[in-house]
Amino acid sequence: MGQRKPMIAGNWKMNLSISEAVALVRTLVEEVGRIEASDILVAPSFTCLAPVREVLNGSKIALGAQNMHWEDSGAFTGEVSGKMLMEVGCTHVILGHSERRHIFGETDLIIDKKVKKASELGLTPILCIGETLEEREAGKTVEVLKNQLSGSLASFLSRRSVPQHLIVAYEPVWAIGTGKTASPQQAQEAHEFVRRWMAENFDEKSASGIRILYGGSVKPDNIASLMAEADIDGALVGGASLKAESFLGIIRYDA
Ligand code: PGA
């Protein structure tokens, strides 16, 4: 992991009411609100962002959104812009999550526009990539990751400049919400590939500074072995981030 500070991020997806989200974040602030060893982030639903922000004020826990539109404003019914997210206090945004890609048909072209806008605004993009089970079994993992990276970062590739503070999350689709985690070796192989790709397409310095999170059924009992791998810099946690006990167990993986 070297010089990169670990990050543990909770992706709450379309879960938790405002009162549930506020209660969870109160506990997190009390327990790990001043933690220095890792960066902690929560990504609640849009409707919970403002109330969660209130509770986070003064703590070191960062606020992220789960998606955004690539324009600042306009006739885009049902969408939320990056500017709006910043106004409510977000510093990060998850982009290209596999649920956005597979359920809502987001393409690399769309994701590239979002990463570009987030980065122009100064919102840190957490770019998600990952192969399906079918693709893994067909031996296409590297090809899929390569295509997702080059497609979702197309505007940056042409300029050979990496998005500011970019975070990548490797989330094998077959491991998301299934209870099947990638083995630390499988995850490390993918992370190593992502870092090498970054070095080849951007530069060594940016590649060695980029944090690559693993996501897919991360739990308190598998986090430590994942974090022991050289290129795993943190976790993007879905299900286990919805309960204080399991999320804290993950955050305190090395305690
Ligand atoms: P999971 O989800 O931890 O529930 O597998 C991870 C994610 O989708 O980010």
Side-chain angles (χ1 to χ4, degrees):
M1 211 164 52
Q3 74 282 34
R4 298 178 296 273
K5 189 171 185 184
M7 167 175 265
I8 306 292
N11 171 14
W12 293 351
K13 308 193 180 184
M14 197 173 72
N15 292 297
L16 304 181
S17 65
I18 292 176
S19 60
E20 288 166 340
V22 163
L24 173 54
V25 98
R26 276 212 177 103
T27 310
L28 296 177
V29 168
E30 255 171 52
E31 298 282 333
V32 291
R34 308 299 316 161
I35 204 167
E36 298 282 349
S38 310
D39 286 336
I40 314 297
L41 173 129
V42 290
S45 63
F46 289 135
T47 53
C48 288
L49 287 171
V52 163
R53 171 78 269 164
E54 290 288 303
V55 184
L56 289 180
N57 271 343
S59 84
K60 293 174 69 75
I61 302 175
L63 186 67
Q66 302 171 18
N67 183 28
M68 63 171 247
H69 193 270
W70 62 85
E71 294 288 350
D72 288 336
S73 61
F76 301 102
T77 302
E79 293 290 320
V80 173
S81 72
K83 254 179 126 171
M84 292 166 174
L85 297 178
M86 292 184 80
E87 189 184 17
V88 80
C90 289
T91 49
H92 294 68
V93 60
I94 299 173
L95 295 173
H97 188 277
S98 75
E99 286 145 22
R100 299 295 323 163
R101 292 174 185 265
H102 297 289
I103 307 174
F104 302 102
E106 276 192 23
T107 59
D108 286 322
L109 193 74
I110 292 176
I111 298 160
D112 175 51
K113 287 195 207 184
K114 295 183 175 187
V115 177
K116 186 160 175 276
K117 175 52 83 174
S119 151
E120 280 166 13
L121 289 170
L123 260 178
T124 299
I126 304 178
L127 170 65
C128 303
I129 54 170
E131 81 290 357
T132 62
L133 184 58
E134 206 181 3
E135 290 161 341
R136 173 163 283 267
E137 286 175 346
K140 291 190 177 150
T141 301
V142 162
E143 187 187 327
V144 169
L145 299 182
K146 198 195 293 177
N147 288 340
Q148 289 177 339
L149 286 168
S150 53
S152 311
L153 295 173
S155 350
F156 298 90
L157 273 182
S158 53
R159 286 182 274 142
R160 282 186 85 82
S161 82
V162 102
Q164 274 248 312
H165 312 300
L166 175 72
I167 297 171
V168 174
Y170 167 62
E171 301 205 302
V173 180
W174 47 273
I176 297 179
T178 56
K180 279 189 217 150
T181 331
S183 69
Q185 292 72 20
Q186 283 172 321
Q188 166 59 24
E189 266 174 37
H191 285 222
E192 201 179 329
F193 167 76
V194 172
R195 204 176 301 287
R196 203 172 343 111
W197 185 92
M198 290 287 171
E200 284 164 8
N201 290 278
F202 295 108
D203 59 277
E204 285 284 347
K205 190 164 174 276
S206 313
S208 65
I210 283 172
R211 288 189 284 189
I212 309 175
L213 315 182
Y214 168 78
S217 298
V218 174
K219 303 278 180 291
D221 62 1
N222 58 29
I223 179 74
S225 57
L226 288 160
M227 292 302 288
E229 296 293 335
D231 289 291
I232 302 183
D233 308 313
L236 182 54
V237 186
S241 70
L242 295 171
K243 293 244 157 61
E245 194 188 348
S246 46
F247 197 36
L248 288 169
I250 293 170
I251 292 168
R252 294 175 170 142
Y253 68 93
D254 61 350

